[in-house]
């Protein structure tokens, strides 16, 4: 008899650790994680190129945007600015910081306030559902202004306390701002998570208004990527748990053998 001891493994057994789940499942989970990473990172990268974040410091755009709210502004060409847009701009004669206001008139328009408590542009009264319900009685009157070509007339949604075009009517440009001063069009409030700004439907009677940018698509990409990453990563643990459960079931079902 040899003095050496021997060890045996169970029939068909292996001393190595085998990944749980089928080979096809493992491949599919890897593909899901890889695709999820592409969608997740791609959505964020796309957003970083198209949008810029800003913090609104004042209450001049309430109730649409509150003081301290974090917004995303889409980078746009000056020619793409339309009536009703909420824009971020930097005008040296106003302030040396980015300012957020709403475009109510563009070059060639004639704007005035207030007849029947409503803003009037090119002779048409504008419905502004984004204003607070008690705003009509507090709207400040201002004389008719014809906006020069290439410039914009801007108001805050909190009309009684906003330092906007009406506060600069005595300036050389009658309170208007150059289109080229605009840095972006605000599309959503992301903190708090109030979501997309409502469409300025009251200006549609004067011409087309801006359509939403690609932000919803970017959010969908990030969410889809997150789901794929989590789903792919969960396959291994779930398959392992399932295999262990089947093994216990087989063990419980095996009849006892007598000696």
């Amino acid at each position: 008899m040899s003095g050496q001891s021997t060890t045996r493994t169970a029939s068909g057994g292996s001393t190595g650790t085998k990944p749980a789940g089928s080979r096809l499942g493992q491949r599919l989970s890897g593909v899901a994680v890889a695709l999820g990473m592409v969608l997740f990172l791609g959505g964020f990268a796309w957003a970083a190129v198209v949008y810029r974040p800003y913090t609104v410091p004042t209450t001049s755009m309430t109730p649409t945007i509150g003081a301290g709210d974090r917004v995303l502004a889409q980078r746009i060409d000056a020619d793409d600015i339309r009536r009703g847009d909420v824009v971020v701009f930097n005008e040296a004669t106003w302030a040396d910081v980015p300012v957020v206001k709403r475009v109510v008139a563009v070059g060639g328009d004639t704007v005035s306030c207030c007849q029947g408590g409503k803003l009037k542009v090119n002779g048409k009264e504008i419905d502004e559902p984004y204003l607070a319900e008690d705003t009509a009685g507090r709207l400040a009157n201002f004389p008719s202004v014809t906006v020069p070509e290439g410039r914009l007339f801007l108001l805050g949604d909190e009309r009684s306390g906003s330092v906007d075009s009406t506060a600069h009517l005595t300036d050389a440009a009658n309170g208007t701002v150059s289109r080229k001063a605009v840095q972006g069009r605000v599309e959503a409030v992301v903190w708090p998570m109030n979501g997309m700004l409502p469409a300025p439907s009251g200006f549609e009677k004067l011409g087309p208004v801006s359509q939403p940018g690609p932000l919803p698509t970017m959010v969908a990409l990030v969410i889809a990527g997150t789901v794929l990453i989590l789903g792919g990563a969960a396959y291994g643990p779930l398959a392992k748990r399932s295999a262990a459960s089947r093994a216990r079931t087989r063990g419980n079902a095996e009849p006892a053998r007598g000696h």
Side-chain angles (χ1 to χ4, degrees):
M1 176 182 289
S2 170
Q4 295 178 347
S5 62
T6 61
T7 59
R8 294 182 180 180
T9 60
S11 178
S14 172
T15 58
T17 302
K18 183 179 180 180
S22 67
R23 182 175 299 177
L24 176 60
Q26 294 164 18
R27 289 178 178 175
L28 290 178
S29 68
V31 170
V33 171
L35 179 58
M37 290 296 293
V38 171
L39 295 178
F40 184 85
L41 297 176
F44 273 110
W46 187 11
V49 172
V50 177
Y51 291 93
R52 293 180 63 181
Y54 293 91
T55 299
V56 179
T58 70
T59 61
S60 67
M61 284 299 295
T62 55
T64 306
I65 305 171
D69 285 1
R70 191 77 167 170
V71 302
L72 286 181
Q74 182 183 3
R75 305 170 196 261
I76 57 173
D77 293 332
D79 294 337
D80 293 334
I81 303 166
R82 295 177 177 174
R83 304 177 190 90
D85 288 348
V86 176
V87 298
V88 181
F89 64 96
N90 198 326
E91 173 59 56
T93 60
W94 288 42
D96 195 24
V97 294
V99 180
V100 179
K101 303 294 179 187
R102 187 181 297 273
V103 177
V104 298
V106 298
D109 288 346
T110 298
V111 57
S112 62
C113 191
C114 295
Q115 296 80 26
K118 289 189 176 182
L119 184 75
K120 183 176 285 188
V121 181
N122 297 339
K124 297 180 180 180
E125 293 184 349
I126 306 300
D127 294 321
E128 298 183 277
Y130 43 78
L131 300 182
E133 294 182 358
D134 62 345
T135 296
R138 298 184 286 109
L139 292 176
N141 293 329
F142 61 86
S144 177
V145 175
T146 298
V147 183
E149 290 295 336
R151 302 190 71 83
L152 308 166
F153 196 89
L154 305 109
L155 298 176
D157 287 356
E158 209 298 289
R159 299 287 160 84
S160 63
S162 174
V163 180
D164 48 36
S165 287
T166 61
H168 296 269
L169 292 175
T170 57
D171 294 351
N174 294 329
T176 63
V177 171
S178 171
R179 282 178 174 268
K180 296 180 180 180
V182 173
Q183 299 175 349
R185 177 174 58 225
V186 176
E187 187 159 311
V189 179
V190 294
W191 186 262
M193 297 179 65
N194 295 339
M196 304 288 288
L197 298 189
S201 55
F203 291 90
E204 290 178 342
K205 64 183 69 176
L206 301 174
V209 297
S210 296
Q211 298 302 309
L215 185 59
T217 302
M218 297 171 182
V219 173
L221 289 177
V222 171
I223 293 175
T226 302
V227 171
L228 286 172
I229 293 170
L230 294 178
Y235 173 78
L238 290 176
K240 185 176 182 180
R241 178 176 295 183
S242 178
S245 178
R246 289 195 300 269
R248 285 195 301 269
T249 301
R250 287 195 300 268
N252 293 335
E254 185 177 339
R257 296 180 180 179
H259 295 286

